[in-house]
Amino acid sequence: QVQLVESGGGLVQAGGSLRLSCVASGGTSSLSRMAWFHQAPGKEREIVASIWWSGTTTGYADSVKGRFTISRDSAKNTAFLQMNTLKFEDTGVYYCAARRYGGAGYEYWGQGTQVTVSS
């Protein structure tokens, strides 16, 4: 059973930066992709970035392109989300998620980490 633990959230002023980390454990060899999701207050959870676990192919939501960068360190079973030029609307809980090869979707989730951007 894959377990994900996020860290790195906090309070930052608009225009600032944060780096989120997600450490995966247990069965990571079965993972195909990892992603970061954002859930703003009162809104649905949305994917903001994804990365193939065995390669470097990435994808981003239009709202974060050019500002956020997803990366991973396979040796450390860790995914990162570098968030630059943060905006007030980036406030919310960020979740790390993972999916297996042949899986139906993102089935493993972290507990979430709060990011608050002050305007």
Side-chain angles (χ1 to χ4, degrees):
Q1 183 76 4
V2 176
Q3 294 182 328
L4 305 174
V5 179
E6 304 103 329
S7 62
L11 174 65
V12 63
Q13 288 187 332
S17 298
L18 281 175
R19 189 192 196 204
L20 307 183
S21 299
C22 174
V23 179
S25 60
T28 56
S29 61
S30 67
L31 297 180
S32 63
R33 275 177 281 178
M34 293 189 72
W36 288 95
F37 287 73
H38 170 226
Q39 187 165 22
K43 295 189 176 181
E44 296 290 319
R45 192 176 301 185
E46 297 180 333
I47 190 168
V48 295
S50 64
I51 187 167
W52 282 91
W53 194 241
S54 61
T56 57
T57 302
T58 58
Y60 296 93
D62 288 343
S63 59
V64 306
K65 280 182 181 176
R67 300 189 299 122
F68 290 10
T69 303
I70 189 171
S71 61
R72 91 285 182 264
D73 183 336
S74 297
K76 296 182 179 180
N77 288 333
T78 302
F80 304 97
L81 185 68
Q82 178 66 44
M83 305 187 294
N84 298 328
T85 319
L86 282 160
K87 304 176 180 180
F88 176 74
E89 51 264 39
D90 295 322
T91 293
V93 180
Y94 285 77
Y95 296 91
C96 174
R99 60 187 298 173
R100 295 177 294 118
Y101 286 101
Y106 288 95
E107 57 188 299
Y108 304 110
W109 294 84
Q111 80 285 356
T113 185
Q114 176 71 41
V115 171
T116 303
V117 184
S118 61
S119 57

